[in-house]
Amino acid sequence: MVEANVRELYGKLATTGEYVCVTVAGDRISSVAPVPPPPHDGEQVWISPGLIDLQINGFAGHDLNAANASMEERIHAVCHMTREVLKAGTTSFCPTVITAGDEQIRSALTAIRLACEQDPLVASCVVGVHLEGPYLSGLDGPRGAHPLRHIKDPDWEEFASWQEAAGGRIRLVTLAPERKGAIDMIRRLVREGIAVSIGHTAASHDEIAAAAEAGANLCTHLGNGAHPNLPRHPNYIWSQLAEDRLLPSLIADGHHLHPSVVKVMARAKNDHILLVSDAAHLAGMKPGIYRTHIGGEVELLPSGRLQMTANPSMLAGAAVSLAECVQNYMRFVSVGIGEALKRRP
Ligand SMILES: [Zn+2]
């Protein structure tokens, strides 16, 4: 007889393939016990540790980077987004604040801090804020959708004031190492315990090496935020792949990178890669046509492709959950779920 507040979930452990029963008492997992395999193969339920997403801009209609939102609306977005990403299998994440004017960046960071202070569930899921910009390349292509008018050289005083607004929660900064003062900025960030990721960049091979030497150790969505055409070699994609000190994140939604590119990048890095969703706020919504605050209509297709209605060849962001990216990765790279989820040193 199972007590009213006790639930039992049966499935296969993603890490070992073992059948288990997970017992949940109230809001806690009380045991994970091996059980015999079921007599017939029904619907396969995989049980895995929660996923960690280092780059997510919103989910299920809640947007962390909404323009002209009130503080109350922003806090609401953080709290509700947290509950939606949990349903999709992500239990820890870095809310990602992108390039904007000072006031908007400050408001978005303040809202994340207040949401963490007010809501223990949010505080337990937010592992740190990812600041993606505004110290990025201003070139079309590398810049991606980051607004040119707000892109600038690194400024420590400005960053320090944003870090204060975030209550010290900024744990990851994406920047372009070719910007004036970027290498010094990397050193200072790393000294403060903040991880630095190279992204939205058109850096030379030497500039990438200098960034890694200064302590940058990640690449943000490698292969995206890049020129449509590049010199065949060297170029900043090869250089980041070849730099052993850099661990790239990839958007394996099946739309941002061709499956062959995911496979080759994973092989080049010996499977030392991170998957991120980079989800826009329309991720987790029903397929359909939506109007976005940056203007223009976008269409979310059943495949998870989010594209501009006026120009369907242009993506309007990523719109699938991290769990779906893991599924894609397994297909693209021909690995099982245990291998895809394996923690690597
Ligand atoms: Zn980006």
Side-chain angles (χ1 to χ4, degrees), residues 24-48:
V24 182
D27 61 355
R28 301 275 149 153
I29 294 174
S30 59
S31 71
V32 181
V35 293
H40 52 81
D41 275 353
E43 194 191 349
Q44 188 99 293
V45 175
W46 289 101
I47 295 175
S48 101

Side-chain angles (χ1 to χ4, degrees), residues 55 98 132 136 142-146 174 199-200 220-221 224-225 251 278:
Q55 187 164 3
I98 64 165
E132 189 193 23
L136 307 176
R143 175 170 72 77
H146 290 253
T174 291
H200 290 280
T220 294
H221 52 54
N224 295 113
I251 308 171
D278 198 9

Side-chain angles (χ1 to χ4, degrees), residues 278-295:
D278 198 9
H281 70 289
L282 293 174
M285 301 285 279
K286 287 199 177 74
I289 307 257
Y290 294 92
R291 179 158 285 284
T292 63
H293 62 80
I294 46 170

